[in-house]
Amino acid sequence: MKQTTIAKRVEGVGIGLHKGEPINIILEPLDANLGIVFYRKDVGVSIKAEPKSVINTQMATVIGNDKGVYVSTIEHLMSAISSYGIDNIRIILDANEAPVMDGSSVSFCMMLDEAGIKELDAPKKIIVIKDEVEIREGKKFVKISPSNSPKFDYTIKFDHPLIGTQRYVFEFSKKKYIEEISKARTFGFLKDVQMLRANNLALGGSLENAVVMDDFSILNPEGLRYKDEFVRHKILDAIGDLSLMGMPILGDYTSFAGSHKLNHELTLAILADAKNFEVVELNRSALKEYAKAFA
């Protein structure tokens, strides 16, 4: 099983969530062992997507460098790239955030479908979880456990009549991701949107790229795409956040009321102790045991 990149360069455009301005995005092939690299065309700076590059997780996952250059809201794009099994890719942006598109990852999936996937002449590497790792914050937690097939078991609880407690168990595959997860949109509450805009944030947020609720109802005329779209989007986010590990992860992820912050802390905790994981090259000897999970 080989590392992959995309077969050709593709371009798109979308609105930035926070500034509300159009952002051009280009996806380009990249050679083996280079990983996922964001390039800020407007300032000529590259930032590799990896845990040590994360500088903020308050409202989104943000990567940056020590010169103050950053790229915000990368989790939806990273989620799609990871779920398509792409190991190496260059993402060119002309702004400090990835476009929000429709609030899900389906637009990025369409770009990747257009680009196609190309095998490279290097063995694929995966992270095999060897020991359970858990991060807690009060009642909230995220954890990863050893498993022979990746699974995401997520529970959310909101004091809102249309959400309440939702749980979704997603057994990972690319096909299932496209069908069950990729279309789930980010969501928010009208009172929070109003507060963010008063602080010059979420200026690009609209019913076109988020599910928005008041105290009792969904404001989007078309309603929900899934009856449990809220928890499915949290899984979409988690896949994107964990993908900053730089390789596919063979393990079961479980969360109650998780967040970008807890997901980031989980990646750091995994890497902090060598007994937690093993990096395996999917060569002939390892292929039979592990390849099925990432086919």
Side-chain angles (χ1 to χ4, degrees):
M1 198 171 189
K2 302 291 188 179
Q3 290 184 36
T4 62
T5 186
I6 54 174
K8 67 176 184 179
R9 170 184 170 126
V10 292
E11 301 183 21
V13 64
I15 296 297
L17 178 62
H18 291 303
K19 289 192 174 180
E21 298 172 352
I23 295 171
N24 294 296
I25 177 171
I26 299 170
L27 306 182
E28 284 187 344
L30 206 56
D31 291 337
N33 299 311
L34 293 180
I36 299 168
V37 178
F38 285 81
Y39 178 68
R40 285 277 305 276
K41 183 180 178 181
D42 53 323
V43 291
V45 173
S46 293
I47 304 169
K48 189 171 183 180
E50 54 188 353
K52 67 181 182 181
S53 295
V54 175
I55 59 169
N56 195 316
T57 55
Q58 188 173 3
M59 293 176 57
T61 297
V62 184
I63 56 173
N65 63 17
D66 57 4
K67 307 295 185 184
V69 179
Y70 65 91
V71 181
S72 177
T73 324
I74 65 169
E75 59 272 14
H76 301 168
L77 174 56
M78 292 289 293
S79 183
I81 290 170
S82 171
S83 297
Y84 271 61
I86 295 168
D87 304 289
N88 308 281
I89 191 170
R90 188 173 189 240
I91 301 142
I92 302 172
L93 301 167
D94 59 1
N96 60 13
E97 58 181 322
V100 69
M101 303 308 215
D102 72 344
S104 73
S105 66
V106 70
S107 295
F108 299 125
C109 292
M110 293 169 67
M111 289 184 72
L112 295 173
D113 286 336
E114 181 186 349
I117 296 176
K118 175 186 174 182
E119 279 196 347
L120 299 168
D121 190 21
K124 195 176 190 77
K125 298 176 183 178
I126 64 172
I127 292 175
V128 180
I129 298 299
K130 293 294 187 180
D131 203 3
E132 182 173 287
V133 182
E134 181 176 84
I135 302 293
R136 282 194 169 266
E137 187 179 84
K139 293 182 178 180
K140 301 176 181 180
F141 74 87
V142 296
K143 71 177 178 180
I144 195 127
S145 312
S147 172
N148 287 326
S149 56
K151 185 170 63 181
F152 290 79
D153 183 345
Y154 211 120
T155 303
I156 60 173
K157 186 175 182 180
F158 283 84
D159 185 19
H160 190 283
L162 295 177
I163 306 179
T165 300
Q166 292 186 2
R167 180 188 179 197
Y168 197 79
V169 180
F170 172 61
E171 295 184 6
F172 180 83
S173 76
K174 176 183 171 183
K175 184 175 184 294
K176 286 184 178 180
Y177 176 84
I178 293 168
E179 294 172 352
E180 300 177 18
I181 303 297
S182 71
K183 301 179 186 70
R185 295 162 293 176
T186 192
F187 61 93
F189 303 97
L190 183 61
K191 58 185 178 183
D192 295 332
V193 173
Q194 292 168 336
M195 178 191 70
L196 289 168
R197 286 186 173 175
N199 289 283
N200 286 322
L201 295 171
L203 300 178
S206 72
L207 300 181
E208 301 296 319
N209 53 42
V211 177
V212 182
M213 293 159 283
D214 61 18
D215 290 341
F216 304 102
S217 61
I218 293 169
L219 302 183
N220 305 64
E222 74 279 12
L224 296 176
R225 293 176 176 175
Y226 311 97
K227 62 180 171 54
D228 50 6
E229 186 169 357
F230 308 105
V231 69
R232 294 191 195 211
H233 183 79
K234 290 294 187 178
I235 291 175
L236 186 157
D237 278 347
I239 292 171
D241 288 341
L242 294 186
S243 72
L244 273 86
M245 294 281 286
M247 303 173 210
I249 301 173
L250 188 60
D252 284 347
Y253 170 93
T254 309
S255 175
F256 174 76
S259 63
H260 297 303
K261 175 177 177 286
L262 293 182
N263 289 336
H264 174 52
E265 290 177 358
L266 180 63
T267 65
L268 295 177
I270 293 168
L271 295 173
D273 193 332
K275 74 178 177 60
N276 293 331
F277 69 99
E278 178 186 5
V279 175
V280 174
E281 285 191 354
L282 292 186
N283 51 33
R284 288 184 179 180
S285 60
L287 193 59
K288 186 176 180 181
E289 185 176 359
Y290 298 121
K292 184 180 177 183
F294 302 104

